[in-house]
Amino acid sequence: MSHPRLCVVGLSHKTAPLTVREQVAFNDAELDALLKRLQESPGVGEVMLVSTCNRVELYAGVDGADAGETVRNVLRGARPGVDLEPHLYVLDGEAALRHLMRVASSLDSLVVGEPQILGQVKAAFARARQAGTVGPLLSRAVPRAFQVAKRVRSETDVAKNAASMASVAVDLAKQIFGDLGRRGGLVLGAGKMSELSARHLKSAGVNELYIVNRTPARAVELAARLGGVAAGMEELDRLLARVDIVLCSTGATEPLIRAERVERAMRARRGRWLFFIDIAVPRDVEPEVARLENVYLYDADALATVVAANRAGRSHEAAAAERLVDEEVMRLTSEARTQDVVPVIKALRQRFLTVAEAEVERAAGKLAGASDRAFVVQLVHSVVNKLLHQPLTALKREAAGESDELALAVCALFELELELELGSSSERPREPQPPAQPGPAAVLRSVKSGDNSGER
Amino acid sequence: MPPLFPVTLIWYAVATTLYLVHLVWGTSDSASGLPRTAQAALVCAFISHAIDIGWLCTHGLHPVVNAREALSFASWLMCGAYLAVSLRYHVPVVGALVVPVTMVLDVAARLTPSQEAPHASPLLGMVHIILAMGGVALFAVAAGGAVFYLVEEVQLKAHKSGLLFRRGAALETLDALNRRCITLGFPLFTLAMITGALWVLRLHSPRGLWTPEYVISTLAWLIYAALVLARLRAGWRGRRAALMTLAGFVTAMTVLVLYFVRGAVGA
């Protein structure tokens, strides 16, 4: 039996265009169903699904060489009509752990340093826990990713310089309108992203803010929090003629704003500029809208191009943050390796104690009473612990340093009957391949059995 | 050669350099730092240039005495027009286009051989030239804004941040600058057309108003008139207004080039 390892299968803004991502976005019901289906898949012990505008990623604790492929097939099966194959990536072991930490720290985000992603990963983790799909591997790795994300935010300037998607959009709005003080804004959708975006607009000086949502109660609630005005969907045409900036972030599966609607609004506006920021996936604004005169449309990918152009200035801070991630990955990996030799330590200690206790038993007749016997047992335990302290410390140190030799030597020397999986895995090729060299566990078994074939 | 010309040239060069540096490496804060220093240098150039023009006047070389002085005067007016609109609109990127042109025109004026202008009606001619120069100076600033508007519009539509991103030149500001310059320049240009017609008629030229200069000037006036009307009545703005501004400016510049060439060769 091998140890479970972390595996990531997914696609993101780096590998898939918006047209693909908007077809893969999952709603809440689909997320729960997918989590359950994955957990029931062979070789998949635990799973978490992160689904945002810019990424859909499955983090799974897998066991066995083909488990990553299983996860991949389940993801492909969830969207049978979409060709996901060219856009999917699979990361395994340490590479998966590093990726998780980079994602949570917003180093893999469309806008490096943006704060939303940490909340989104936390929400994904909470959902997985609620669905009962979190096991010991994710329980250990994900909170560590949150810790490193906090360190990145507090110890580097990545977060200080971070321009979220919304703040980049505000910069673009200023490029069109200049001062936003006398501008009107319309926020379409009352979710978390809408609120964040609306706050950016407010802080940029937009003085008139309308919130439109399919569920009026949520619009009223958000408007009260932001000091805006809630409006119904039926008022959309009137508002399009009035406001200057429209921020869309609904969960609608079809575009809510089509070109004909904007054409009507532009006539009513007498050609005044209108700026659409559509961060919804799937998109809320029909792409044809961008062709209209004095209308500017930026969807998530369009914002990404602007962000990428401005990213160079933050490379220094990002490098510092990457170092923090590396440190944490090394620490966690080292801890995991130390965990790998725990059975060896336990077995060795048990072997010593068994021998010592057997000797005490043999000498039991010569001892005065039960209290003497208890004293001697305590004494031999103490002697065993002291004798083993240095060798076991060395064993842990060696294991943390990625070396299995000492553990193998101990097993061979003391003939410890163990089935162990030592060592670590790294980024895995897309197609499952046989290991190029026999794994340490195979080597261990070979030592025990005298077989040199290395086959599992 | 006016005494302060080298000083004027240095100030223009400093302002040009600072505006160009701002265009390439500047930040969004258009009201401080580099643009402010550039504007201060431009004010110095403007004052120095004005002193030169005044000194030339005291020596009988008033701004419309010949093509050379008219060209220098036009560049000074252009500089003044830009400084005037800068008080209302903070668009240092436009300075990166207008100020180098101003400097080049002033240098070109000093390198042009001196020729006397017709003196049939000196006062009317002077009024006509000053009005025309004032109008064209404002149109030049409007055209500078229009160029940047079109470049920036293409970049925004193509989702490219480009050179102008965060340089303090919002589309709406550039369009407002365009509207203001055209609104101020058009009446001046209209008066210049009227005084020009009167001047030409007083010269008793056999061709009357059917000179290439006057016909092309009329065409330029019609373009600007259509632009003013379209802005007022049809709500034209943005790209269309910018394109029309450029069309009008190219036409108006053609007239100036014709006058300048004729003046320079003594035709």
Side-chain angles (χ1 to χ4, degrees):
Chain A
M1 157 118 185
S2 60
H3 280 277
R5 63 186 191 282
L6 188 65
C7 170
V8 184
V9 179
L11 52 84
S12 74
H13 60 96
K14 290 184 173 172
T15 63
L18 186 54
T19 45
V20 172
R21 295 198 317 270
E22 63 189 359
Q23 294 179 74
V24 187
F26 293 102
N27 61 35
D28 289 356
E30 287 177 316
L31 283 173
D32 288 337
L34 197 61
L35 282 174
K36 283 287 174 204
R37 202 153 88 233
L38 273 160
Q39 203 188 20
E40 288 159 7
S41 304
V44 181
E46 42 190 305
V47 65
M48 173 179 86
L49 176 52
V50 177
S51 179
T52 73
C53 307
N54 299 315
R55 68 182 68 247
V56 173
E57 286 176 339
L58 283 160
Y59 292 85
V62 297
D63 204 349
D66 297 335
E69 194 58 28
T70 307
V71 177
R72 190 170 165 158
N73 287 337
V74 170
L75 187 57
R76 275 192 307 215
R79 286 287 181 270
V82 189
D83 181 18
L84 299 180
E85 197 52 36
H87 311 291
L88 286 178
Y89 46 82
V90 180
L91 302 172
D92 211 338
E94 196 177 310
L97 185 61
R98 185 184 307 278
H99 183 75
L100 169 64
M101 290 186 175
R102 292 189 78 249
V103 168
S105 308
S106 187
L107 296 174
D108 197 60
S109 293
L110 193 67
V111 180
V112 172
E114 56 92 3
Q116 290 98 325
I117 186 66
L118 181 59
Q120 287 164 333
V121 178
K122 280 183 177 174
F125 188 53
R127 176 180 288 277
R129 289 183 89 139
Q130 206 172 9
T133 62
V134 172
L137 189 67
L138 286 175
S139 296
R140 203 168 64 212
V142 180
R144 292 295 279 269
F146 297 156
Q147 278 176 18
V148 80
K150 279 181 191 163
R151 282 191 69 196
V152 166
R153 293 196 73 73
S154 61
E155 294 176 26
T156 74
D157 286 340
V158 165
K160 280 184 194 165
N161 290 331
S164 72
M165 193 86 98
S167 64
V168 170
V170 165
D171 279 344
L172 286 164
K174 285 181 179 169
Q175 193 70 12
I176 296 168
F177 302 107
D179 180 24
L180 300 184
R182 291 170 290 110
R183 305 294 162 186
L186 166 63
V187 179
L188 202 53
K192 188 112 181 144
M193 287 295 285
S194 302
E195 182 167 352
L196 280 167
S197 310
R199 284 191 192 284
H200 269 88
L201 283 179
K202 265 286 191 189
S203 61
V206 169
N207 68 342
E208 207 178 35
L209 196 64
Y210 296 92
I211 319 288
V212 171
N213 194 49
R214 279 196 191 281
T215 315
R218 291 182 67 188
V220 171
E221 200 181 302
L222 182 57
R225 277 204 300 274
L226 294 169
V229 179
M233 290 296 271
E234 68 283 355
E235 291 185 82
L236 199 53
D237 285 327
R238 181 182 69 82
L239 291 173
L240 283 177
R242 183 180 175 88
V243 301
D244 305 289
I245 304 159
V246 183
L247 214 151
C248 308
S249 175
T250 77
T253 51
E254 291 290 317
L256 294 171
I257 297 178
R258 298 195 180 271
E260 307 86 67
R261 184 173 232 166
V262 180
E263 265 179 308
R264 280 200 306 275
M266 288 306 284
R267 276 196 293 276
R269 301 172 64 84
R270 285 175 61 86
R272 275 189 299 119
W273 296 264
L274 187 56
F275 181 34
F276 286 98
I277 308 140
D278 185 7
I279 50 177
V281 180
R283 283 171 285 189
D284 285 338
V285 184
E286 204 176 43
E288 285 70 29
V289 167
R291 298 206 186 99
L292 299 175
E293 194 174 339
N294 292 345
V295 177
Y296 300 89
L297 168 61
Y298 276 69
D299 59 27
D301 275 4
L303 285 171
T305 57
V306 180
V307 170
N310 292 286
R311 191 174 281 171
R314 289 199 289 273
S315 58
H316 178 70
E317 289 89 345
E322 294 282 2
R323 277 197 294 278
L324 284 179
V325 168
D326 287 345
E327 277 173 26
E328 200 61 33
V329 168
M330 277 174 65
R331 195 172 296 137
L332 197 55
T333 311
S334 163
E335 282 175 20
R337 287 194 195 111
T338 309
Q339 289 292 316
D340 282 343
V341 292
V342 166
V344 178
I345 291 168
K346 278 185 180 168
L348 187 62
R349 190 189 298 267
Q350 194 55 49
R351 171 67 53 83
F352 273 54
L353 286 175
T354 306
V355 170
E357 283 169 4
E359 289 305 309
V360 172
E361 279 303 313
R362 278 209 303 159
K366 295 173 188 172
L367 296 173
S371 62
D372 277 1
R373 188 176 176 277
F375 174 73
V376 174
V377 167
Q378 198 181 350
L379 188 71
V380 296
H381 271 248
S382 176
V383 170
V384 164
N385 282 339
K386 282 189 174 164
L387 283 173
L388 282 179
H389 176 71
Q390 270 192 319
L392 294 186
T393 306
L395 198 59
K396 283 181 188 170
R397 195 169 51 237
E398 282 273 310
E402 228 176 321
S403 171
D404 303 337
E405 282 177 21
L406 206 54
L408 297 173
V410 166
C411 288
L413 275 172
F414 294 95
E415 294 185 332
L416 301 175
E417 294 296 323
L418 291 167
E419 286 276 332
L420 298 175
E421 176 84 29
L422 301 172
S424 62
S425 48
S426 58
E427 188 157 348
R428 214 162 62 87
R430 283 184 159 231
E431 294 302 322
Q433 288 176 355
Q437 291 179 327
V443 174
L444 180 61
R445 278 190 294 276
S446 303
V447 170
K448 281 191 288 184
S449 64
D451 176 12
N452 288 325
S453 68
E455 293 289 323
R456 287 185 178 215
Chain B
M1 183 77 71
L4 289 182
F5 175 67
V7 178
T8 307
L9 192 60
I10 288 169
W11 281 122
Y12 274 134
V14 170
T16 296
T17 308
L18 292 174
Y19 277 121
L20 289 173
V21 167
H22 169 73
L23 180 66
V24 180
W25 293 290
T27 62
S28 58
D29 192 359
S30 62
S32 64
L34 213 54
R36 190 172 288 205
T37 315
Q39 191 157 346
L42 191 61
V43 169
C44 293
F46 181 75
I47 293 167
S48 175
H49 199 162
I51 293 170
D52 268 352
I53 291 170
W55 183 86
L56 287 167
C57 282
T58 59
H59 288 74
L61 291 169
H62 60 75
V64 294
V65 74
N66 55 32
R68 185 178 70 177
E69 301 314 326
L71 195 59
S72 173
F73 183 61
S75 71
W76 180 73
L77 282 178
M78 203 186 291
C79 177
Y82 173 70
L83 283 172
V85 296
S86 296
L87 295 174
R88 174 80 185 264
Y89 307 102
H90 294 293
V91 279
V93 293
V94 178
L97 187 62
V98 172
V99 178
V101 171
T102 303
M103 185 175 71
V104 169
L105 285 181
D106 194 30
V107 172
R110 290 298 138 226
L111 298 176
T112 304
S114 174
Q115 292 292 335
E116 289 298 311
H119 285 86
S121 181
L123 183 63
L124 194 58
M126 195 182 289
V127 170
H128 162 72
I129 293 172
I130 289 172
L131 287 171
M133 293 289 183
V136 171
L138 284 161
F139 291 159
V141 178
V147 167
F148 281 111
Y149 184 96
L150 292 171
V151 170
E152 200 172 322
E153 207 229 10
V154 168
Q155 287 179 342
L156 277 167
K157 283 274 187 188
H159 306 141
K160 289 176 182 164
S161 53
L163 198 63
L164 298 177
F165 190 58
R166 293 175 178 152
R167 296 286 189 276
L171 284 185
E172 210 179 278
T173 310
L174 290 170
D175 188 70
L177 174 137
N178 177 295
R179 191 183 60 239
R180 179 57 63 98
C181 288
I182 300 294
T183 310
L184 291 173
F186 183 68
L188 293 179
F189 198 63
T190 305
L191 288 172
M193 289 294 292
I194 296 166
T195 51
L198 292 173
W199 186 24
V200 170
L201 291 175
R202 283 198 187 183
L203 286 174
H204 303 296
S205 165
R207 288 192 292 172
L209 295 175
W210 289 105
T211 59
E213 290 89 336
Y214 203 84
V215 170
I216 299 171
S217 297
T218 308
L219 183 62
W221 184 85
L222 283 172
I223 293 171
Y224 284 118
L227 174 57
V228 170
L229 204 64
R231 270 193 179 278
L232 282 173
R233 307 289 297 174
W236 273 31
R237 65 186 82 221
R239 183 181 175 77
R240 289 185 206 185
L243 287 171
M244 218 154 163
T245 300
L246 288 178
F249 185 65
V250 168
T251 315
M253 284 308 287
T254 309
V255 182
L256 278 187
V257 169
L258 280 175
Y259 275 128
F260 179 72
V261 169
R262 192 165 290 195
V265 300

